[in-house]
């Protein structure tokens, strides 16, 4: 697809996408406008999802999960020369700019190191996005954990085609659904940092209710048959007790393994959860800090705590 020359001046001014890049980390390469023509040239299938808004500016149809996937695939290929990136059907499609944001802030927290840095990515999914970005941007080595075997198999197939990444990313199966870190870290194995983007919802029912409200607001219909544009498997979206319960479990497990972990961190979407999380860290005398994160209208927080080093 070649976009009309008389409107090429609008290719780097797409409102809906540029709003999403406000407040990114200063070093985030996606702070600059997307070059839609370059992205379409990289992944031609994306051309079918380019739309024109009332102001005649080009954008991507973010309501369509396939459009979201193709956009992120194009970003990875155009910026990092990543070939054959794919996700398991129905699984979560990560927005690359915001995932890169986490990597940059975590790197800031870690500071300069003279030795290779090892990071655990909890629940890496089929997309492996944090290990991919973490290694290519910052040279980090990863242990990527996952409970869902099909996602692990899918991720391993991708790594088999990307030898450079394969040497820096280990995928480990968390066989115990009641555990997060325990069982995947080997005895006396030391990890510089842990990152976590936890499941948000408490149940499938709560997720469906949220999706219906979203559909009603965006599309004027509450039917759950309208797909979520980023989709997601059950283990990626919900956990008994929701986000707060998951992060609390992570805190307690990290304390049990404190001699093996330098810094532990997690995204916190619901600000109301912070009070309980911080109370536990304070009770155990653990140094912690919160970094506010924002991407467009979406606001989150990065909570991290020091365990060792």
């Amino acid at each position: 697809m070649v976009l009309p020359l008389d409107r090429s001046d609008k290719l780097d001014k797409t409102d809906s996408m540029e709003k999403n890049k406000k407040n990114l980390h200063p070093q985030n390469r996606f702070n600059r406008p997307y070059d839609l023509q370059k992205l379409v040239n990289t992944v031609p299938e994306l051309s079918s999802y380019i739309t024109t808004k009332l102001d005649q500016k080009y954008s991507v149809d973010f309501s369509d999960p396939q459009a979201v996937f193709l956009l992120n695939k194009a970003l990875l290929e155009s910026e990092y020369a990543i070939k054959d990136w794919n996700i398991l059907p129905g699984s979560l499609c990560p927005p690359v700019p915001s995932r890169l944001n986490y990597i940059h802030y975590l790197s800031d927290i870690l500071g300069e190191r003279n030795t290779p840095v090892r990071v655990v990515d909890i629940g890496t999914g089929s997309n492996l996005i944090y290990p991919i970005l973490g290694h290519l941007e910052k040279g980090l080595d990863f242990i990527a954990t996952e409970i869902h075997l099909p996602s692990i198999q899918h991720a391993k197939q991708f790594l088999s085609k990307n030898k450079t990444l394969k040497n820096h990313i280990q995928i480990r199966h968390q066989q115990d659904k009641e555990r997060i870190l325990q069982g995947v870290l080997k005895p006396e194995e030391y990890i510089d940092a842990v990152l976590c983007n936890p499941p948000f919802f408490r149940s499938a029912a709560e997720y469906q209710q949220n999706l219906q409200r979203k559909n009603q607001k965006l599309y004027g219909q509450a039917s759950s048959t309208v797909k979520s544009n980023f989709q997601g498997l059950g283990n990626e979206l919900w956990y008994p007790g929701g986000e707060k319960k998951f992060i609390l479990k992570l805190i307690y497990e990290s304390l049990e393994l404190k001699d093996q972990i330098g810094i532990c961190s997690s995204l916190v979407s619901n600000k109301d959860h912070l009070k309980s999380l911080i109370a536990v860290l304070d009770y155990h005398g653990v140094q912690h800090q919160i970094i506010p994160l924002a991407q467009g209208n979406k606001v989150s927080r990065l909570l991290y705590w020091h365990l060792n080093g």
Side-chain angles (χ1 to χ4, degrees):
M1 173 185 181
V2 178
L3 300 173
L5 293 177
D6 61 342
R7 288 160 61 194
S8 62
D9 61 319
K10 297 180 180 179
L11 294 184
D12 60 353
K13 300 176 183 177
T14 50
D15 280 354
S16 61
M17 288 188 289
E18 299 320 306
K19 287 178 181 177
N20 284 338
K21 287 182 277 187
K22 290 181 180 178
N23 304 316
L24 292 176
H25 188 282
Q27 295 179 17
N28 193 317
R29 66 177 66 206
F30 299 107
N31 274 315
R32 66 179 185 266
Y34 292 152
D35 182 343
L36 274 184
Q37 187 67 71
K38 179 182 178 182
L39 295 177
V40 167
N41 291 342
T42 303
V43 178
E45 302 96 310
L46 181 61
S47 65
S48 299
Y49 301 93
I50 302 297
T51 62
T52 306
K53 303 179 79 66
L54 292 176
D55 57 8
Q56 295 299 299
K57 293 178 181 178
Y58 288 111
S59 186
V60 173
D61 182 6
F62 286 98
S63 67
D64 192 304
Q66 183 65 7
V68 172
F69 164 71
L70 291 173
L71 172 63
N72 285 285
K73 180 181 177 69
L75 291 174
L76 286 173
E77 188 165 337
S78 64
E79 293 293 327
Y80 300 101
I82 291 292
K83 302 290 186 181
D84 302 313
W85 183 78
N86 209 326
I87 59 175
L88 199 66
S91 65
L92 185 67
C93 181
V96 170
S98 67
R99 299 306 193 254
L100 181 56
N101 234 27
Y102 195 162
I103 293 295
H104 277 300
Y105 280 109
L106 183 63
S107 179
D108 289 347
I109 295 165
L110 287 166
E112 295 293 331
R113 304 281 175 121
N114 296 323
T115 56
V117 176
R118 302 186 74 200
V119 179
V120 170
D121 174 26
I122 295 171
T124 199
S126 65
N127 56 74
L128 278 178
I129 194 63
Y130 285 120
I132 292 170
L133 295 175
H135 180 68
L136 295 179
E137 281 279 347
K138 298 296 182 178
L140 307 175
D141 290 340
F142 276 83
I143 296 171
T145 75
E146 179 57 53
I147 64 172
H148 187 241
L149 274 174
S151 293
I152 290 175
Q153 293 163 355
H154 190 97
K156 284 184 174 180
Q157 288 175 2
F158 166 77
L159 282 184
S160 69
K161 301 175 184 177
N162 291 268
K163 302 298 184 182
T164 301
L165 289 172
K166 186 177 181 180
N167 294 333
H168 298 278
I169 301 172
Q170 295 181 46
I171 302 176
R172 295 184 186 176
H173 182 207
Q174 173 54 276
Q175 301 183 53
D176 188 346
K177 293 183 178 181
E178 301 300 317
R179 300 293 185 181
I180 299 176
L181 290 169
Q182 291 179 345
V184 290
L185 291 188
K186 299 175 182 177
E188 300 182 2
E189 182 175 43
Y190 186 79
I191 302 300
D192 295 284
V194 173
L195 67 79
C196 175
N197 189 354
F200 180 78
F201 300 100
R202 291 173 293 180
S203 65
E206 184 181 58
Y207 167 70
Q208 288 296 329
Q209 291 170 3
N210 178 271
L211 182 58
Q212 288 177 0
R213 288 193 297 269
K214 179 180 178 181
N215 291 336
Q216 181 66 53
K217 181 178 179 180
L218 295 178
Y219 313 114
Q221 56 178 307
S223 171
S224 61
T225 59
V226 178
K227 293 182 179 180
S228 167
N229 55 346
F230 287 91
Q231 302 191 91
L233 302 174
N235 61 286
E236 296 175 313
L237 297 173
W238 57 80
Y239 178 83
E243 176 185 72
K244 183 170 75 171
K245 184 69 173 294
F246 192 95
I247 301 174
L248 283 172
K249 181 180 284 289
L250 175 61
I251 290 173
Y252 284 119
E253 286 198 24
S254 71
L255 292 174
E256 293 174 5
L257 297 167
K258 63 181 180 180
D259 293 335
Q260 294 182 247
I261 301 171
I263 293 167
C264 199
S265 70
S266 178
L267 295 180
V268 184
S269 293
N270 190 331
K271 66 179 181 180
D272 294 335
H273 295 161
L274 287 173
K275 184 176 180 180
S276 298
L277 301 174
I278 291 172
V280 172
L281 292 170
D282 284 341
Y283 177 81
H284 290 279
V286 178
Q287 182 183 355
H288 57 80
Q289 189 168 338
I290 300 167
I291 299 175
L293 304 178
Q295 187 176 6
N297 294 324
K298 180 177 174 57
V299 178
S300 187
R301 302 122 199 110
L302 172 56
L303 171 65
Y304 68 94
W305 54 102
H306 291 268
L307 295 161
N308 214 331

